[in-house]
Amino acid sequence: MAADDLVPEVRAALRAAADPARGRGMQAYLKTAEPCLGVRLPEVRRIVRAAAEKAPPDVESAAGRLWREASAREERHAALALTGLPVARGDLSLLPLYREMITTGAWWDLVDGVQPRVRDLLLAHPAQLRPVLQGWARSPDRWLRRSAVIAQLGARERTDTALLAEVVEVNAADPEVFVRKAIGWALREHTKTDPDWVRRFLAEHELSPLSRREAARHLPS
């Protein structure tokens, strides 16, 4: 389905599902100036799937338009939902769009929404993505740094622990709270797979109290 057809359909469906009272609450919760329609994420994803089922979408074009022309937060989440469709999963050509989403979204709900896409690219194309994440980990943009740290959430046994250690180490002293939380989150997530690795890492590295506290929260005693 061409972007010219899919984008208006998704926009219309989002507005038909709007709940203005919930939207005001969502906007306050997210602390954003961008209007919210009040459509819950599962419904946003359902709307996108329903539109995409009519014909395979041009994901890069449609997601890019929804993202760049968004007049409500849910349009950006719809763009993220499009990139999560099976037809787009692991598509390396979408990496520039993901970087754009991270740097222009510049807030936790949108940045963290890109995370599974980056993880899938890393798992599908490790040779290409590893240096990208190494670069992001050293970027002046805090959201790229956060994205590099949390990129492997959900990778479980396929986690590249050398890469995880590197992106955490170069950000261990970062004063940004979103990066410090990301470090704790990434390490805490890996305790589900290899708690001994996380325990050794914590013993051998100096981290902020916030990162350390979050990382150790679920470590077995």
Side-chain angles (χ1 to χ4, degrees), residues 19-33:
D19 181 332
R22 184 186 298 136
R24 289 189 293 272
M26 290 169 62
Q27 188 175 2
Y29 173 70
L30 291 172
K31 300 177 181 177
T32 177

Side-chain angles (χ1 to χ4, degrees), residues 3-221:
D4 287 346
D5 297 321
L6 186 144
V7 170
E9 181 172 340
V10 169
R11 285 176 178 157
L14 288 173
R15 279 155 181 78
D19 181 332
R22 184 186 298 136
R24 289 189 293 272
M26 290 169 62
Q27 188 175 2
Y29 173 70
L30 291 172
K31 300 177 181 177
T32 177
E34 191 169 39
C36 295
L37 298 172
V39 184
R40 299 185 192 276
L41 276 179
E43 180 64 7
V44 173
R45 292 168 183 146
R46 187 202 66 76
I47 286 170
V48 167
R49 287 196 303 270
E53 281 173 0
K54 297 177 181 178
D58 180 341
V59 170
E60 184 174 5
S61 177
R65 274 194 58 188
L66 279 167
W67 185 271
R68 298 178 193 117
E69 300 172 7
S71 58
R73 196 71 159 197
E74 286 84 349
E75 290 181 46
R76 292 183 184 260
H77 283 288
L80 289 170
L82 269 172
T83 64
L85 294 174
V87 68
R89 198 165 297 145
D91 184 349
L92 193 58
S93 70
L94 293 174
L95 179 59
L97 177 60
Y98 297 152
R99 190 186 192 283
E100 177 186 347
M101 288 173 161
I102 292 166
T103 56
T104 62
W107 199 239
W108 63 267
D109 64 312
L110 299 174
V111 170
D112 295 358
V114 182
Q115 182 274 323
R117 316 298 181 249
V118 176
R119 178 200 61 218
D120 290 347
L121 285 185
L122 176 63
L123 294 178
H125 308 281
Q128 291 87 348
L129 262 291
R130 205 173 194 277
V132 169
L133 294 176
Q134 289 170 321
W136 287 6
R138 294 163 172 83
S139 171
D141 187 298
R142 64 173 172 171
W143 299 108
L144 287 175
R145 298 198 302 277
R146 178 179 172 92
S147 295
V149 171
I150 64 173
Q152 297 191 77
L153 294 175
R156 295 189 175 272
E157 291 80 7
R158 298 179 68 185
T159 299
D160 179 340
T161 52
L163 178 60
L164 176 59
E166 179 180 346
V167 298
V168 170
E169 286 167 357
V170 298
N171 287 288
D174 196 310
E176 289 281 355
V177 66
F178 285 107
V179 176
R180 290 186 170 191
K181 283 188 174 182
I183 289 171
W185 186 11
L187 293 173
R188 183 175 71 248
E189 177 73 12
H190 197 53
T191 63
K192 300 174 183 177
T193 301
D194 193 345
D196 289 338
W197 185 94
V198 176
R199 189 179 285 108
R200 288 194 302 273
F201 188 91
L202 292 176
E204 295 167 0
H205 293 80
E206 184 175 343
L207 300 176
S208 72
L210 174 58
S211 297
R212 183 171 295 275
R213 183 171 63 252
E214 290 295 316
R217 183 179 295 178
H218 297 149
L219 268 178
S221 56

